[in-house]
């Protein structure tokens, strides 16, 4: 049993200091891959280290496999942690690094050898077992650190930004290896900490998005829990909407006009827009925010098409497979980003007209809470 439950978990590093974790409530199921993501300093490592037993819990209950573990020492929790810094012993071979924990634990040599060879097989480290860490690349060292966790046969794997020290290509490759590993070790739960929303989107069964700073005190540490598609298509707030997705969602100040049949009618800089959300409870003339993702806009054909507005191109970035156009919408409106497939023929200074579908738009009330979308969305 590797289910993990957080019940009203709070963390304060010192009696007079503010809450680092406020009221975390969360369940990670048996065999689930859960990613803690959020900006630097939001408490991801703190939350992970509480599961490992490396950090005290100020209040609330944490249980693993139905057993309360608040006061259980790290060695008895059945967890294994992989750190960003690898933390390998420099004078030991790969084989000895991987087996060291078992040796300390008192396992016999034959058993250690078997488990090390099995883990090396999974991680394609067999040919490197007699090397020292200094004779390995960064990616290989990180695999050894993962191997050291595997041989312990933990019920929970904990990863704290394990790919941050690798270059971009190796990050993608190791990310795939971790996803495969999760598939192969189906019964263990995994908690993976990252500040990178792409890692979160690609690895997670369940994403826990944490927020930082003053907001935590009033709103709690967890901004939203859901599948990657939940967070992308159904962000519950402006914070989540802007954190998930790259380039990030454009947010424009708008005024609510009226609602009917699962549609909100709003104006943005004097232009009428229709958004597929439930907005019956809003009052006319209330300020709202409209959210539109860069990849959900296109160039309009006619000057008066609905859900469109004029813009001027201020800067272009060509990526080859896509082009990013930075657009000025006129006074008192922030610059927005448009993502077009392929290589655009637009030029800086061009006047264009943007168009977007009602079902692709997001709407947020003046408190930054998302209104419920009324279209069927991917899961
Ligand atoms: P993240 O991993 O999301 O970047 P951390 O969990 O490391 O964030 O830190 C969350 C907050 O707690 C930060 O403000 C950090 O300064 C503070 N913090 C972390 N560790 C300690 C500690 N040992 N003592 C006091 N404050 C700490
Ligand atoms: Mg951290």
């Amino acid at each position: 049993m590797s289910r993990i439950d957080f019940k009203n978990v709070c963390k304060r590093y010192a009696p007079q200091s503010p809450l680092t974790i406020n009221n975390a409530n969360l369940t990670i199921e048996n065999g689930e891959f859960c990613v803690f993501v959020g900006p630097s300093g939001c408490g991801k490592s703190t939350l992970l280290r509480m599961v490992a037993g490396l950090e005290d819990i100020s209040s609330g209950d944490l249980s693993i496999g139905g057993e309360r573990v608040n006061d259980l020492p790290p060695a008895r929790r059945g967890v294994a942690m992989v750190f960003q810094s690898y933390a390998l012993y420099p004078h030991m071979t790969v084989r000895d690094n991987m087996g060291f924990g078992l040796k300390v634990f008192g396992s016999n040599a034959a058993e250690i050898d078997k488990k090390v060879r099995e883990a090396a097989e999974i991680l394609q480290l067999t040919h490197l077992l007699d090397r020292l860490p200094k004779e390995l690349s960064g990616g290989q060292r990180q695999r050894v650190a993962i191997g050291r966790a595997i041989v312990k046969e933990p019920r929970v794997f904990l990863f704290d930004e394990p790919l941050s020290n690798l270059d971009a290509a190796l990050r993608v490759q190791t990310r795939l290896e971790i996803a495969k590993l999760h598939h192969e070790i189906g019964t263990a739960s995994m908690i993976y900490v990252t500040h990178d929303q792409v890692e979160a989107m690609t690895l997670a069964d369940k994403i826990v998005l944490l927020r930082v700073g003053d907001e935590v005190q009033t709103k709690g540490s967890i901004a939203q829990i859901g599948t990657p598609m939940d967070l992308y298509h159904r962000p519950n707030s402006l914070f989540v909407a802007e954190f998930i997705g790259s380039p990030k969602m454009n947010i424009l100040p708008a005024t609510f006009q009226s609602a009917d049949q699962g549609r909100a009618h709003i104006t943005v800089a004097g232009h009428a827009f229709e958004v597929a959300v439930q907005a019956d409870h809003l009052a006319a003339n209330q300020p709202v925010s409209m959210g539109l993702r860069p990849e959900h806009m296109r160039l309009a054909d006619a000057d008066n098409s609905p859900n469109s507005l004029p813009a001027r191109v201020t800067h272009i970035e060509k990526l080859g497979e896509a082009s990013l156009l930075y657009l000025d919408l006129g006074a008192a409106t922030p610059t927005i980003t448009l993502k077009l497939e392929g290589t655009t023929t637009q030029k800086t200074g061009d006047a264009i007209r943007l168009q977007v579908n009602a079902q692709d738009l997001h709407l947020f009330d003046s408190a930054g809470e998302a209104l419920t979308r009324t279209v069927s969305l991917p899961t």
Side-chain angles (χ1 to χ4, degrees):
M1 278 293 287
S2 53
R3 178 184 149 126
I4 301 159
D5 285 294
F6 291 83
K7 287 249 158 58
N8 306 325
V9 168
C10 295
K11 173 71 182 178
R12 227 184 259 285
Y13 275 103
Q16 70 283 11
S17 62
L19 284 165
T20 294
I21 298 294
N22 182 10
N23 212 32
N25 283 289
L26 164 70
T27 296
I28 300 157
E29 303 292 347
N30 265 331
E32 196 166 44
F33 199 126
C34 178
V35 176
F36 294 170
V37 68
S40 182
C42 69
K44 305 178 294 293
S45 295
T46 300
L47 208 55
L48 190 77
R49 290 168 61 83
M50 289 195 284
V51 180
L54 303 174
E55 216 54 83
D56 288 339
I57 295 166
S58 305
S59 65
D61 296 305
L62 176 70
S63 54
I64 303 177
E67 178 196 7
R68 187 175 183 275
V69 297
N70 288 44
D71 305 312
L72 201 65
R76 292 183 43 210
R77 294 188 181 201
V79 306
M81 188 147 165
V82 178
F83 299 91
Q84 177 180 341
S85 59
Y86 319 144
L88 301 179
Y89 299 107
H91 59 287
M92 284 186 198
T93 61
V94 168
R95 186 191 310 278
D96 291 344
N97 262 290
M98 281 168 66
F100 186 69
L102 295 179
K103 196 166 160 188
V104 170
F105 189 69
S107 303
N108 70 51
E111 192 181 335
I112 296 173
D113 183 60
K114 179 168 174 284
K115 286 186 180 167
V116 167
R117 276 190 292 111
E118 280 169 6
E121 197 67 31
I122 292 173
L123 295 164
Q124 291 154 25
L125 288 171
T126 306
H127 61 297
L128 303 173
L129 280 173
D130 295 314
R131 292 212 192 159
L132 293 172
K134 68 176 182 205
E135 298 164 331
L136 302 176
S137 70
Q140 289 166 340
R141 281 179 213 171
Q142 189 53 284
R143 295 221 296 278
V144 177
I146 294 170
R148 194 173 41 186
I150 292 175
V151 297
K152 288 185 177 170
E153 297 177 349
R155 49 185 177 163
V156 182
F157 282 88
L158 305 173
F159 295 93
D160 196 349
E161 311 235 11
L163 308 186
S164 298
N165 288 351
L166 306 180
D167 66 41
L170 205 50
R171 264 208 307 271
V172 173
Q173 188 193 329
T174 314
R175 192 174 83 202
L176 281 169
E177 280 166 10
I178 290 176
K180 270 197 261 168
L181 178 69
H182 171 238
H183 205 69
E184 282 173 35
I185 312 176
T187 54
S189 304
M190 297 195 171
I191 308 180
Y192 185 104
V193 163
T194 180
H195 63 273
D196 177 359
Q197 58 100 20
V198 176
E199 274 178 31
M201 294 296 279
T202 51
L203 285 170
D205 296 318
K206 177 183 279 174
I207 295 179
V208 178
L209 177 47
L210 300 169
R211 60 186 137 215
V212 67
D214 296 343
E215 292 244 311
V216 167
Q217 306 300 317
T218 50
K219 294 185 174 172
S221 290
I222 298 178
Q224 190 168 352
I225 300 173
T227 64
M229 290 308 102
D230 282 334
L231 271 71
Y232 179 82
H233 292 291
R234 285 170 286 267
N236 66 7
S237 61
L238 274 174
F239 170 73
V240 176
E242 291 188 277
F243 191 85
I244 299 289
S246 176
K248 68 182 198 167
M249 187 188 284
N250 299 296
I251 306 295
L252 292 175
T255 306
F256 175 75
Q257 305 295 343
S258 64
D260 67 74
Q261 296 174 4
R263 301 260 155 158
H265 302 276
I266 62 171
T267 49
V268 177
H271 306 277
F273 278 80
E274 203 178 88
V275 184
V277 292
Q278 195 54 256
D280 293 330
H281 58 293
L282 294 189
N285 297 320
Q286 200 171 314
V288 288
S289 301
M290 182 175 85
L292 63 170
R293 293 204 182 273
E295 59 273 31
H296 288 159
M297 292 180 278
R298 59 185 185 280
L299 300 175
D301 331 309
D303 268 3
N304 56 353
S305 35
N307 271 20
S308 75
L309 85 179
R312 188 166 295 279
V313 180
T314 59
H315 184 67
I316 299 178
E317 290 173 347
K318 294 182 186 178
L319 305 170
E321 96 283 4
S323 307
L324 301 181
L325 283 70
Y326 296 87
L327 307 174
D328 181 10
L329 302 178
T333 316
T335 298
I336 68 167
T337 313
L338 162 67
K339 183 175 181 180
L340 295 177
E341 269 183 40
T343 304
T344 184
T345 54
Q346 300 290 338
K347 292 185 181 50
T348 300
D350 282 358
I352 61 168
R353 197 167 180 94
L354 286 174
Q355 188 163 11
V356 60
N357 296 333
Q359 56 267 34
D360 288 332
L361 288 167
H362 299 251
L363 200 63
F364 305 90
D365 67 18
S366 53
E369 302 294 323
L371 301 181
T372 306
R373 302 182 72 189
T374 53
V375 282
S376 72
L377 296 162
T379 51

